Amino acid sequence: MDGLKSFLIFNDLSQLEVAHFLGISKGQMSKLVSGVARLQDEQLEKLLANPFGWNTEFLTNPMWGDLERGKLVADAGGVAIQQNGKQNKIGKVQAASDEVAALRKEIDLLRAQVEELKAEKAAYWEMIKQLTAK
């Protein structure tokens, strides 16, 4: 399955865990990960609808399959499709360190918003206590 390796790595899952979830053997799962076998439609639907919050983009975006098969090469300078030993640039990507810094800044802003909401919630609870005490 294209993107299945990335799916496992990103979600910190073992082949055995996903095999149990799908109701298949570890050997069959190994064949799926190596690309020898393909997920059946029902199995893919089960993974996409999983109740665990697993990120399933890797299973639906063909880019991940290309990356796993070595057809797509990404680095800080750009993204290239590798064909017949040659790389053809297809676009620029932001440097990884810049992207991580931007994400950290966004996380900090979200944390600040959460703290503001907690303070607001506490103030509302205090108002409710005062109103119900009368």
Side-chain angles (χ1 to χ4, degrees):
M1 173 94 232
D2 291 348
L4 193 53
K5 284 182 203 173
S6 299
F7 168 80
L8 293 170
I9 292 167
F10 183 86
N11 292 292
D12 195 26
L13 297 167
S14 69
Q15 290 184 21
L16 187 58
E17 288 173 301
V18 176
H20 282 283
F21 176 72
L22 293 175
I24 60 175
S25 70
K26 185 178 178 189
Q28 182 63 25
M29 186 67 195
S30 180
K31 289 179 183 179
L32 293 171
V33 172
S34 68
V36 173
R38 292 220 156 303
L39 276 175
Q40 297 174 5
D41 290 341
E42 299 82 27
Q43 293 168 327
L44 178 59
E45 288 174 21
K46 189 172 182 178
L47 284 174
L48 295 176
N50 78 81
F52 308 110
W54 295 336
N55 184 330
T56 58
E57 178 193 350
F58 306 95
L59 304 173
T60 57
N61 187 335
M63 176 193 78
W64 294 103
D66 288 345
L67 190 61
E68 287 178 4
R69 289 189 304 277
K71 287 185 174 179
L72 188 64
V73 180
D75 62 24
V79 176
I81 295 178
Q82 189 163 336
Q83 296 173 321
N84 301 326
K86 295 181 181 179
Q87 291 185 11
N88 300 314
K89 293 283 184 186
I90 59 173
K92 293 284 182 186
V93 294
Q94 188 178 13
S97 61
D98 291 345
E99 190 172 337
V100 168
L103 289 171
R104 284 187 176 146
K105 186 180 278 188
E106 188 174 344
I107 288 170
D108 289 341
L109 289 171
L110 290 171
R111 284 185 177 142
Q113 288 177 348
V114 166
E115 292 305 314
E116 289 174 13
L117 290 171
K118 285 180 181 178
E120 196 174 312
K121 177 183 168 186
Y124 284 133
W125 275 114
E126 189 59 37
M127 286 174 42
I128 290 170
K129 287 178 188 176
Q130 290 175 1
L131 290 172
T132 56
K134 293 181 180 180

